[in-house]
Amino acid sequence: MNILVINCGSSSLKFQLIDSETEKCIAKGLCERIGIEGSQITYAPANGEKEEKLISMPDHTEAIRLVLEALTNEKTGVVKSLSEIDAVGHRIVHGGEKFAVSTLINDEVMKAIEECNDLAPLHNPANLIGIRACQALMENTPMAAVFDTAFHQTMPAKAYMYGLPYEYYEKYKIRRYGFHGTSHSYVSKRAAQFLGEDYNHMKIIVCHLGNGASVSAVKNGECIDTSMGLTPLEGLIMGTRSGDMDPAIIEFLAHKENKNIDEIMNILNKKSGVYGLSGNISSDFRDLEKAAADGNEKAKLTLDAFDYRVAKYIGAYVAAMNGVDAICFTAGLGENGSTTRERICNYLGYLGIELDSEANAKRGEDIVISTKDSKTKVLVIPTNEELAIARETSLLINAK
Ligand code: ADP
């Protein structure tokens, strides 16, 4: 089956066409600045040249139309007609408490996703627009919704409830949901498989360290805790998000800086994290590593604070699971940042962890980076959210 995976943001749209039998990506690309001047489509067939084209995209339907045109193009396309696209898998950010698993999309599901809009006002409406745009152009093609929150729905109430008046949970469903679920699920399963162990009898910690970053605790095949909360703002110090902090800071800053809630939230989401803490050096860890190597004290402090927070979450999840068998690193920084992994593991001597520096220097493959004698295994597992979405979609179609 050929499955088109769509990850639709408010002004961007990432796509991949995946052959579900071989699990190979046939073509992929990106539409940027949808609805904004200067929009651009990038299209890269697996066996051809990457193309970038500046072209007007007033809305998402036009973006999807261009994606489908690229995929079916006579010269550079990868399928002859739209009938060769068997299904579409959509990444949906927030499934609230309604969706603990992926689901085929129908009117009822669309309504339920819409009801989660409040919980992810920037993401869910864009995801819905992406679904509608596909439906308009591929009327009879089955579509699946794969939720970022679903994998975390197994968390027990003691992990997902905040210490807030209970009525806010009842009235507004304020609780911890967690995100990056598709990645945490994919990486934890893959780690067990790679180690040749039984996923349902393992304690695994996954550190998804990208621009957005989160840690999860997976016990016996189920997520029991994760660092992101009601929104992706909670938890680790991220590229530009603050992560955990005293909520009283919001009021304090609003008074001191004469700012309203929206302005403060914008600072916490877009101007904080390693970007803000470093004095605006960069949100990219490569720049921070370079600045730190050049002696910049703020960059050093920022990296220290980032690593320390990850190490603390790992410690918390070891406590939550009463042990850990494997710790996995994934996403942009987790997969590429060998020095970050080393510094984080330096905190974990109490787990009997010893890194194999040669293995830790490798890139781009599933690999154990701890030594044979290390009491806890440490792995790098490159995440593949698109493949995970294609797998889920294909399972749903086959079960129909
Ligand atoms: P997202 O999908 O959340 O935007 P990614 O998973 O693509 O993020 O991760 C992006 C981040 O990964 C970058 O901001 C950068 O800091 C980090 N990164 C990528 N490559 C490297 C590298 N070679 N060394 C260190 N950090 C890297």
Side-chain angles (χ1 to χ4, degrees):
M1 247 191 306
N2 288 331
I3 296 179
L4 179 60
V5 175
I6 299 279
N7 181 355
C8 193
S10 55
S11 67
S12 72
L13 186 156
K14 287 189 211 148
F15 65 94
Q16 259 191 42
L17 188 67
I18 293 175
D19 177 336
S20 66
E21 274 89 49
T22 60
E23 300 207 321
K24 291 255 161 22
C25 169
I26 306 167
K28 64 179 175 181
L30 168 69
C31 300
E32 290 167 286
R33 299 179 66 83
I34 301 166
I36 308 171
E37 205 159 313
S39 42
Q40 168 170 317
I41 180 167
T42 307
Y43 168 71
N47 299 319
E49 297 241 324
K50 179 162 139 185
E51 296 168 19
E52 282 175 9
K53 198 157 60 175
L54 277 168
I55 185 161
S56 161
M57 282 179 238
D59 54 35
H60 287 77
T61 311
E62 182 57 15
I64 299 271
R65 201 186 63 72
L66 290 167
V67 168
L68 298 178
E69 196 175 276
L71 292 169
T72 53
N73 183 283
E74 245 177 51
K75 283 198 195 119
T76 52
V78 285
V79 289
K80 286 200 193 72
S81 76
L82 288 186
S83 63
E84 288 180 31
I85 298 177
D86 301 287
V88 183
H90 292 272
R91 175 197 178 211
I92 310 294
V93 167
H94 219 306
E97 287 187 326
K98 290 206 172 77
F99 298 104
V101 287
S102 309
T103 180
L104 286 174
I105 296 173
N106 57 27
D107 289 349
E108 207 181 309
V109 168
M110 290 292 280
K111 216 170 132 240
I113 298 174
E114 209 166 338
E115 278 163 20
C116 299
N117 277 1
D118 252 8
L119 295 169
L122 294 179
H123 295 99
N124 272 33
N127 299 156
L128 283 163
I129 289 171
I131 299 175
R132 291 203 181 96
C134 283
Q135 285 173 334
L137 297 163
M138 309 168 83
E139 223 180 315
N140 299 316
T141 310
M143 306 205 185
V146 180
F147 300 91
D148 254 28
T149 48
F151 182 62
H152 306 303
Q153 277 297 302
T154 45
M155 281 195 285
K158 66 181 176 188
Y160 70 66
M161 287 304 287
Y162 288 112
L164 289 171
Y166 196 83
E167 64 182 281
Y168 297 140
Y169 171 62
E170 292 176 313
K171 278 209 285 212
Y172 309 120
K173 289 277 173 259
I174 293 183
R175 50 158 283 181
R176 307 183 60 257
Y177 290 94
F179 298 85
H180 295 138
T182 311
S183 175
H184 287 289
S185 163
Y186 174 88
V187 169
S188 54
K189 276 191 196 113
R190 177 70 192 130
Q193 185 191 39
F194 188 69
L195 292 171
E197 290 183 31
D198 180 1
Y199 185 51
N200 295 322
H201 289 94
M202 276 190 89
K203 296 169 181 172
I204 303 173
I205 293 175
V206 179
C207 304
H208 176 111
L209 310 179
N211 219 343
S214 64
V215 187
S216 70
V218 184
K219 188 178 177 185
N220 302 337
E222 287 190 341
C223 176
I224 62 138
D225 208 343
T226 190
S227 59
M228 283 178 166
L230 174 75
T231 76
L233 189 54
E234 190 178 339
L236 301 179
I237 298 175
M238 307 180 213
T240 62
R241 296 189 193 118
S242 64
D244 298 337
M245 57 168 219
D246 181 345
I249 293 169
I250 294 174
E251 185 205 23
F252 190 92
L253 264 185
H255 287 318
K256 290 282 183 200
E257 295 271 312
N258 196 22
K259 290 197 187 319
N260 64 30
I261 286 283
D262 289 349
E263 289 168 319
I264 299 288
M265 292 319 290
N266 190 48
I267 293 172
L268 299 185
N269 274 301
K270 307 246 170 83
K271 305 232 155 43
S272 300
V274 294
Y275 170 75
L277 179 53
S278 66
N280 304 356
I281 293 177
S282 175
S283 62
D284 193 306
F285 283 81
R286 287 164 286 201
D287 300 333
L288 291 166
E289 290 282 0
K290 189 172 174 303
D294 290 345
N296 185 304
E297 290 302 324
K298 278 194 189 133
K300 281 190 210 164
L301 162 69
T302 301
L303 293 173
D304 281 351
F306 176 86
D307 302 337
Y308 178 65
R309 180 80 56 94
V310 178
K312 279 211 301 187
Y313 264 99
I314 292 173
Y317 291 165
V318 172
M321 295 194 288
N322 189 22
V324 61
D325 300 310
I327 297 173
C328 311
F329 289 94
T330 195
L333 174 65
E335 289 166 30
N336 298 298
S338 54
T339 47
T340 297
R341 292 194 299 258
E342 190 181 332
R343 287 192 306 258
I344 292 170
C345 288
N346 283 342
Y347 283 100
L348 308 176
Y350 67 98
L351 295 173
I353 285 178
E354 278 175 43
L355 275 199
D356 172 342
S357 49
E358 211 172 291
N360 188 38
K362 290 195 178 153
R363 264 194 207 172
E365 56 183 305
D366 298 333
I367 190 168
V368 175
I369 59 167
S370 50
T371 62
K372 277 207 172 63
D373 296 332
S374 181
K375 289 206 180 69
T376 306
K377 297 262 181 294
V378 183
L379 297 94
V380 174
I381 304 281
T383 194
N384 193 337
E385 287 166 283
E386 289 78 13
L387 175 59
I389 293 173
R391 279 183 186 164
E392 291 278 314
T393 306
S394 141
L395 279 174
L396 286 166
I397 303 292
N398 287 330
K400 244 202 326 179

